[in-house]
Amino acid sequence: MRNEPAAPVAVTLPASAGSSAQARQALSDVATAWGLSADVADDAALVVTELVSNAVDHATGPIGLTLARTESGLRIEVADQSPARPEPRPVRVDSARGRGLIIVAALSRAWGTEPTADGKVVWAELDI
């Protein structure tokens, strides 16, 4: 069965603690509308949470979330107004933080960053 692309969905979120929950809700709505499996939706929810949380923690201004269904998967993009690129860091066993990009890398086919005129986009692609 061929996976036909659907129109991307874009949401603007505030750079605040509640943004991850809003992003997960947007993803849930899209996953239902696009008929994504529960496993893909769960993996994508983790990726969305990590990318949006990083933007809230390390950037300023509004956060842009774009969800796009491609021929082979799901592309998640999070735009923020910081030019600083996220870098995976060594995990400290005594810390509850610092595992986000490791999770993103593990659940995604690919991930990366692209500079923009006013910051960057961090993206991840998942197979569906």
Side-chain angles (χ1 to χ4, degrees):
M1 179 172 143
R2 184 179 156 96
N3 178 16
E4 295 296 330
V9 173
V11 179
T12 301
L13 305 166
S16 64
S19 291
S20 291
Q22 289 177 295
R24 283 191 301 277
Q25 184 59 55
L27 174 70
S28 176
D29 294 344
V30 164
T32 300
W34 292 347
L36 302 181
S37 73
D39 288 342
V40 170
D42 289 346
D43 288 353
L46 287 171
V47 170
V48 162
T49 298
E50 294 303 334
L51 295 183
V52 170
S53 294
N54 279 350
V56 168
D57 289 347
H58 302 291
T60 59
I63 297 166
L65 169 66
T66 303
L67 304 167
R69 187 170 171 186
T70 65
E71 287 188 19
S72 62
L74 173 66
R75 183 173 173 100
I76 299 166
E77 297 180 348
V78 175
D80 64 48
Q81 296 180 0
S82 169
R85 295 172 45 146
E87 298 290 337
R89 58 184 178 195
V91 175
R92 292 181 30 203
V93 295
D94 61 341
S95 175
R97 300 182 52 97
R99 293 167 179 81
L101 292 178
I102 295 169
I103 292 168
V104 170
L107 297 176
S108 304
R109 167 183 26 172
W111 76 276
T113 62
E114 297 172 4
T116 64
D118 59 352
K120 68 178 169 305
V121 171
V122 183
W123 57 268
E125 293 181 353
L126 286 75
D127 289 323
I128 50 177

